[in-house]
Amino acid sequence: MVIIILILFILSSLLAVYSFGLFAKRVKGEASYALATQDNQTQLDKALAPESALHPKQTSLLLIPSNLDAFAIRAASAREVGRSLDLQYYIWNDDLTGQLLAIELLHAADRGVRVRIILDDMNSHGHSSLLATLNLHPNISIRMFNPTRARDNRFMRGLEMILRVFSINRRMHNKSWIADGRMAVVGGRNIGNEYFGAADNRNFFDADLLIGGEAVKETEAIFDDFWNSDAVIPIEALVNADSNSLTQLKEIVQQKKTHLSAIPYLNKLKETPSVKSLFTGEWNKGGWQVHWTQSAHVYSDPAIKAFGQGESQWLIHHIAPLLENAAKTVKLISPYFVPGKNGVNQLTQIQQKGVTIDILTNSLAANDVIMAHGGYAPYRKPLLANNINLYELKPFGKTERSLIGSSDASLHTKAFLVDSKIGFVGSFNFDPRSANLNTEMGIIFEDPNIVSALQKEFAMKTSRDLSYQVILVDGKLRWLDENENDEPIIWQQDPQSKWWQRAMAKIVGYLPIESQL
């Protein structure tokens, strides 16, 4: 009986995958590509073309660790853009900051700007109708990565996800914001309150890089690869929207701008330098200074990774050699760090060459994904036993305060530094999912100014105010908790965590699901 059920499931699964493939080919959107830049067509062209000409074949970089600045620079670029916006995200929440940025997109589209958006379907499904309404605008096109056909019926969607489990398991984790082909924001932030300091419970530490010049072309090529791939489907093929809903949406979103909670963010936007002043050096306050380098490139998994293909082009093959060739130091930030046995062995081999390795991840109490912590926890002892330093972010450290008062913290930055010379900022977690299942992207660079800025971020995040140091005492895990005013505390179990969190993490550690974490 069990064998019969298994055979029926396999046949049904194959039929579901085949049927979806036919559907995807039938509704695939027309190919389109990044619009060519011109010297004097838009404000950004006029401002940035001369700067790019002064730095041929180079890329400008500006690290954006501040959540509020990260929101403001995206909104500011949408206001200044004149030709195109190409946006690619894993999550775009229908919340305050997501709506405020959607307002800017609508205004840009009304001015004639072509807006293309690629979103991962797993996290966007809940507001498909909103996205379909935006898609009604003649200048806005939205495509969904690896979506389900079933949209309204939860049972049917669940059934489709079960039958397509191996294909639906692959998600798009890329994050990029490209304006007029002149500037881009690449890094770890999605679009939502917790990424911009607006959440009322927990906000993320994260990092982006604002880039101009050559690497913007690389980011555009990555976007076009996904936009024209078989892995994305136009949202109009999945969801219907009423023809009057766009007018209604414009009325609703305009009201959002007068809402009390929106005022601090709109005020922050007024204080933010223009993109022009940033790149031309007219604004040099508060650390807003771009740096040009010949050694900066944006890399991504190819879109065909959605089908398990193109392995030689996967991002891991750009990252791994940098770590393996480290000579002195590796500093790694990964909020969902699941090294696995192979990862522990590789890090140990690097350490045995005399390389000092420091790793920062979330503590259990700070982690918003307990399953990821469950996958990481069993490897703490082996890492520490091999002289690899571990730091875990405190859940209630001194954070950049949310404008609405939240101070709870969680790590979301994905970055690393090698030998105080090479840096990486992107979406790649050091876990099996990032390496083998999801598509990821990021920027690898060599620039002393940006490397130094990232080192300062690492030093701050691993300071005694913000992190515990995990240590081994007589073969047992302990957490060193220090601050300036009190005596050091040695925790004997995951600090500030609840019993059910520890229980769940423990159970996950025993389950054969590491490849999915």
Side-chain angles (χ1 to χ4, degrees):
M1 186 65 179
V2 174
I3 295 177
I4 294 174
I5 294 174
L6 182 60
I7 292 173
L8 288 175
F9 174 78
I10 293 172
L11 292 175
S12 299
S13 180
L14 291 172
L15 180 61
V17 171
Y18 177 73
S19 174
F20 182 84
L22 292 178
F23 166 74
K25 288 182 180 179
R26 187 173 72 250
V27 301
K28 183 176 179 178
E30 293 184 4
S32 70
Y33 298 89
L35 300 177
T37 57
Q38 301 182 34
D39 287 348
N40 295 298
Q41 184 180 37
T42 72
Q43 290 185 33
L44 293 183
D45 285 329
K46 295 173 184 177
L48 305 188
E51 293 302 309
S52 295
L54 292 173
H55 303 89
K57 303 300 180 181
Q58 294 186 40
T59 294
S60 63
L61 302 173
L62 172 66
L63 185 67
I64 310 176
S66 163
N67 288 339
L68 303 181
D69 291 341
F71 167 83
I73 197 65
R74 285 169 171 83
S77 67
R79 290 186 174 186
E80 296 181 54
V81 74
R83 178 175 48 248
S84 63
L85 279 169
D86 289 336
L87 317 177
Q88 184 176 8
Y89 282 98
Y90 178 58
I91 295 173
W92 191 307
N93 286 334
D94 184 19
D95 55 16
L96 173 65
T97 54
Q99 291 166 356
L100 288 176
L101 290 175
I103 292 170
E104 301 299 339
L105 299 188
L106 279 170
H107 290 335
D110 286 342
R111 298 195 307 269
V113 173
R114 187 191 73 173
V115 181
R116 298 187 297 172
I117 305 173
I118 310 173
L119 295 174
D120 185 82
D121 185 64
M122 186 65 71
N123 294 286
S124 303
H125 183 270
H127 45 278
S128 293
S129 58
L130 170 66
L131 298 173
T133 299
L134 282 172
N135 193 67
L136 288 175
H137 196 292
N139 290 327
I140 298 178
S141 298
I142 300 175
R143 294 185 179 180
M144 311 305 293
F145 180 89
N146 199 11
T148 57
R149 292 181 67 180
R151 312 300 293 183
D152 300 325
N153 188 301
R154 290 186 179 181
F155 173 79
M156 293 303 296
R157 183 170 189 258
L159 181 60
E160 181 181 351
M161 292 177 71
I162 292 172
L163 293 175
R164 292 179 53 213
V165 62
F166 296 108
S167 61
I168 210 75
N169 193 32
R170 295 180 176 274
R171 308 313 318 168
M172 183 194 75
H173 203 228
N174 297 40
K175 302 163 180 67
S176 65
W177 179 291
I178 311 168
D180 275 353
R182 290 293 183 181
M183 58 144 285
V185 181
V186 175
R189 289 183 178 92
N190 293 296
I191 305 299
N193 285 351
E194 59 268 39
Y195 305 96
F196 300 126
D200 57 5
N201 52 0
R202 174 181 291 177
N203 289 291
F204 288 126
F205 283 123
D206 217 325
D208 294 317
L209 280 171
L210 171 65
I211 62 177
E214 282 297 298
V216 178
K217 298 176 185 177
E218 296 169 348
T219 313
E220 286 185 311
I222 291 165
F223 183 95
D224 284 347
D225 174 46
F226 278 80
W227 184 261
N228 298 310
S229 76
D230 292 335
V232 300
I233 290 178
I235 195 170
E236 62 266 25
L238 301 166
V239 185
N240 294 319
D242 184 88
S243 58
N244 296 319
S245 57
L246 182 60
T247 301
Q248 297 170 355
L249 177 63
K250 286 185 176 183
E251 294 173 355
I252 293 171
V253 297
Q254 270 307 119
Q255 295 173 4
K256 289 286 183 183
K257 297 180 73 170
T258 62
H259 196 278
L260 187 62
S261 60
I263 293 174
Y265 289 87
L266 297 176
N267 288 340
K268 177 65 179 179
L269 182 54
K270 293 177 184 177
E271 301 169 3
T272 300
S274 68
V275 173
K276 173 185 176 181
S277 64
L278 281 177
F279 280 91
T280 58
E282 297 171 11
W283 183 281
N284 56 10
K285 302 176 184 177
W288 292 88
Q289 183 179 0
V290 301
H291 300 275
W292 291 86
T293 176
Q294 289 184 324
S295 185
H297 297 283
V298 178
Y299 298 102
S300 172
D301 289 310
I304 55 176
K305 189 180 180 184
F307 310 109
Q309 300 173 11
E311 185 171 354
S312 63
Q313 305 169 51
W314 290 5
L315 180 59
I316 187 64
H317 299 305
H318 293 286
I319 290 175
L322 298 177
L323 300 174
E324 292 167 358
N325 293 326
K328 296 179 180 179
T329 59
V330 169
K331 297 183 184 299
L332 190 154
I333 308 175
S334 180
Y336 315 117
F337 180 58
V338 185
K341 291 181 180 179
N342 288 337
V344 171
N345 291 336
Q346 290 167 353
L347 290 170
T348 299
Q349 290 172 11
I350 296 169
Q351 190 279 332
Q352 288 174 346
K353 296 188 301 180
V355 177
T356 299
I357 301 177
D358 298 309
I359 298 172
L360 171 64
T361 190
N362 275 310
S363 65
L364 175 57
N367 205 323
D368 64 316
V369 183
I370 292 179
M371 291 185 69
H373 192 89
Y376 148 72
Y379 297 107
R380 289 185 288 200
K381 283 187 179 181
L383 289 167
L384 293 170
N386 285 287
N387 299 311
I388 294 168
N389 302 315
L390 286 181
Y391 300 88
E392 294 182 357
L393 190 78
K394 296 178 180 179
F396 309 115
K398 297 177 182 178
T399 68
E400 174 195 44
R401 295 270 174 166
S402 162
L403 290 183
I404 58 177
S406 173
S407 61
D408 294 2
S410 185
L411 186 68
H412 200 261
T413 308
K414 294 95 170 170
F416 65 79
L417 291 159
V418 176
D419 294 339
S420 300
K421 180 182 177 182
I422 301 171
F424 169 88
V425 173
S427 69
F428 186 92
N429 281 298
F430 283 81
D431 60 14
R433 175 162 286 277
S434 287
N436 303 313
L437 295 174
N438 291 348
T439 67
E440 308 283 355
M441 70 183 296
I443 182 165
I444 296 172
F445 57 89
E446 292 185 44
D447 178 85
N449 298 289
I450 305 302
V451 166
S452 177
L454 192 55
Q455 284 180 317
K456 290 178 182 177
E457 285 296 310
F458 187 89
M460 181 183 69
K461 299 297 190 300
T462 56
S463 69
R464 59 188 179 182
D465 283 335
L466 292 181
S467 288
Y468 313 107
Q469 183 172 5
V470 189
I471 57 177
L472 279 180
V473 178
D474 296 329
K476 296 180 180 179
L477 288 175
R478 296 291 184 262
W479 289 258
L480 178 59
D481 184 359
E482 296 182 288
N483 58 60
E484 293 181 0
N485 302 317
D486 301 323
E487 289 293 322
I489 298 172
I490 302 293
W491 293 81
Q492 298 189 21
Q493 59 186 11
D494 290 276
Q496 302 287 353
S497 63
K498 297 178 175 60
W499 71 266
W500 60 267
Q501 293 174 312
R502 296 191 295 273
M504 286 184 64
K506 191 75 170 177
I507 292 170
V508 169
Y510 288 119
L511 298 177
I513 58 172
E514 184 175 282
S515 64
Q516 305 302 306
L517 299 176

